[in-house]
Amino acid sequence: MRLRRLSSTVLGAALIAALIPGSATAAAPQAWSVAGPGAAVTARLALDDTGHLSFGVDLRGSPVLAPAPIGITTTDADLSAGLSFVSRADRTVRERYTKTTGKQLRRDVTLTESTFSFTGTRGAHLDVVVRVSAEGAAYRYVLPSGGTVTGETSSFTLPVAAPAWVLPYNSNYENARVQTTAGAAATGDYGFPLLAQVGADYVLLSESDVDGRYDGARLSHVAGESAYRIRLDDAQITATGRLATPWRTAAVGDLATVTGSMLTDDLAPPSKLTDTSWVRPGMVAWSWLSEHSSPSDPARQRQYIDFAARNGWPYVLIDEGWNAEWVPSVVRYARARGVDVLLWFHWTSLDTVQERDRMLPLLKSWGVAGVKVDFMDSDSQARFRWYDDILAATAAQHLMINFHGATIPRGLQRTWPHVMTLEAIRGAEQFRTRAAQNTIFPFTRNVVGGMDYTPVTWAVTDRDTTDAHEVALALVYESGWQHLADRPETYEAHPEALRTLSQLPTVWDESKLLSGAPGQETVFARRHDDRWYVGGISAVAAKTYSTELDFLGNGRFLAETLRDGDDGLVRESRIVRRTDTLSVPERANGGFVTVLCAYTGSATCDRPVRRVPATTLTVDPASADVRPGGTVTVAATFTLPAGGPITGVTLAPAPPAGWTVSGATVRDSSMRGGDSLRGSWRLTAPADLATGFTDLPVAAEFTFTGDPGSPDTPGKRPVHVEQAVRVLVPPANPAGTAAVSDLPFLTESNGYGPVERDQSNGEADSGDGRPLTLRGTAYAKGLGMHSPGEVTIWLGGACTAFSALVGIDDEVTQSGSADFQVLGDGRALAASGVRRSADPAATLAADVTGVQILTLRATDGGDGKNFDHADWADAKVSCAG
């Protein structure tokens, strides 16, 4: 730690001026330095004779960030000028922590910290806290009394000729990155992180520790200038009590240092979770990119689940289009095969306390392992407060989370270890892949945290990358959940690619950049447990890539390489030592993956793929009607048809909260092929049981001999096999002529937003629709759906007729279409045929005599669901009484 000491006369004058309110006495210029461990990185803070602060960073005695103005303004004070120095306090900060995701799971770093205290006009107080590590420097402001922030004068200065890789800002960070110079970048806003080359060194600008107390910033630049100024998302930021702003960060050094930097994590708050045993990274099969309609097809999702199970992938993500009616059964199907299900949500479906309190426990009861939340598209303080809320709520339910349409990570994955990845990248779903862009991402966006690029897809035909380049993305790009984005059939048509993907971990004990430059190529060596993985992607002409293997330990290693060959992907093997060189032929825009494992005489590094033994579980009865306080007796039989043994078998009901169970858990220490385990229990419903459908699950759990685990989580973990009795708690029968919109829904699903009562579909939240309007006539009663939509309603055999006027609501701006269908106890009773926006309202009537459950369904008309605002105007039933 080095301090340029002031004379006692100068320091005394500065202190006296600070203590006299309204004093116009200007202090002499002052400057301080804060050196990081090893003294390679030094932060420099200065106060000029007008009370303006500046901040810069030196590397090995030379500036990489020239001094640039800093400061903050509030509604009460301008703390960017007229400042007077009061005091300095120094300390050493040691950060030791373990993460669940990332390029380095265990971290032990030392930072030097100095807090500089200043006073401004009318005695306003400001602290500037500076931290420096061996790989960068950062600063933040502290307002001891809080206040309302109106802006920052914070900035960074880069040489105008410095090569720079910048991201024109938008709120989801999905624009293409631009290679330019710091000065030549066009006038406008730029997103973090920003990479620039200063001489032989590099600097990566970003921020850390952003949550609902502040907002997300960006950089504002004027063409031709050297300054990049901090611009906040909000015009005002409110704080109650002490406010510590986010850190403004600069990772500095050579490319290996910058890409290996964990400065944003080091500066983030410690983990808020004490137990992370339920957090599991891994490969994910994801269907939306390669076939957009598949998330609405439970049969197709089962095929993805079977594929994941065959290849040891622990997850399947069901994206937009899933239906609550079939998801629980698909989740049970998946878990019995050792696969967990993740579900997609639009963020507005989880933006209120009530929605989260209702939906998240329900997901947990279904057995869902995590959620993908999409379309936040904002860096505002309000949105970061929502991030705070949903992170706490998902953690409480042990649900992992992936943020799409999101901001960049700013240390979030350290503070909330159940965050598996974030998008904030121009990924494969843009359907245009360029090798030059791909080789920029590892040096920019991916440095600061998990990046959900959704790689390895042949479905993207507009690409200039080779097959090996595509496979290598799953290793070169770090993401706790790696969503592999093509069809099962496509991967199976590329068996060497599939074989490699099924062996790759998604988290790393350590990572090293071996070579590369943004826009040209990237080669990483990553270690997981006792083996190394080397992956490279290229945006240059064909060549032979060579690297020393001095990062290996002693002994012999089998090096197994996947690369592009003359007729597709090829695999090559050789035995190497740490003194050897790895050489791999690369095609133009190509890539490769090399796995290095201790050589034991085996011809491959492949480990066994986890495949769960097939079992069956039946429950009796399959369905039942129960009244509040009533009982139902459930019997279950769990069978291992063949193979085994399986061990530690348990069989027991797992009913919803409030139900009581009479009967003990059935156990067996070991089962072999042909063995069965049986049990019977009496379940009693709570007295306040709500009407509608309820599942009463019975679950078997077991482990199995020789379970290899997955690449990320080796070893045994229980397999969960579940079936459920479908219980109906019927409401009172309708009486007289009843409007359908006044009756309770047993079940509901909709294309966008909820099914609305007495208004059209607003596509987002309950109550956001307009009057139901068909060909200029408004209707006071009815249902507003968006195809594919469906409700079920209890009639109890008490009604004789249903009728409605159906059609596409006038509010849509382009032609929609829907087929309106009426079903009674699962039988088709009536249908409108496809109705389009130009068609007049059609009368739809059905005889519902004896029907217990009425289903009203609107399909998409066969041309997709856009603009399908399907109105059931004046829908009613005629009943006894």
Side-chain angles (χ1 to χ4, degrees), residues 471 475 496 499-505 508 524 526 528 530-535 549 551-552 557-563 571-576 582 584 592-599 603-607:
V471 177
L475 171 58
E496 291 296 344
R499 177 180 165 188
T500 295
L501 294 170
S502 297
Q503 294 291 321
L504 288 182
W508 308 102
F524 275 103
R526 302 194 190 272
H528 183 89
D530 60 350
R531 56 178 58 191
W532 283 89
Y533 302 77
V534 178
L549 295 174
F551 52 84
L552 296 176
F557 289 79
L558 179 63
E560 206 169 357
T561 297
L562 180 78
R563 64 172 180 86
R571 184 178 300 270
E572 299 172 336
S573 298
R574 57 177 288 214
I575 299 169
V576 298
L582 175 69
V584 182
F592 70 94
V593 173
T594 298
V595 183
L596 294 130
C597 60
Y599 179 63
T604 180
C605 288
D606 287 358
R607 287 171 167 158

Side-chain angles (χ1 to χ4, degrees), residues 11 89 215 305 328 336 465 519 551 579 619 697 876:
L11 179 57
D215 70 10
I305 289 163
T465 57
F551 52 84
T579 55
V619 294
K876 57 183 179 289

Side-chain angles (χ1 to χ4, degrees), residues 255 435-436 438-440 442-443 469 476 513-524 535-541 543-546 586 590 592:
L255 274 179
N438 285 357
T439 54
I440 295 174
F443 303 102
H469 183 119
V476 172
L513 178 70
L514 298 183
S515 68
Q520 298 179 42
E521 66 176 341
T522 313
V523 183
F524 275 103
I537 56 174
S538 170
V540 298
K543 67 172 189 175
T544 296
Y545 174 77
S546 296
E586 277 189 304
F592 70 94

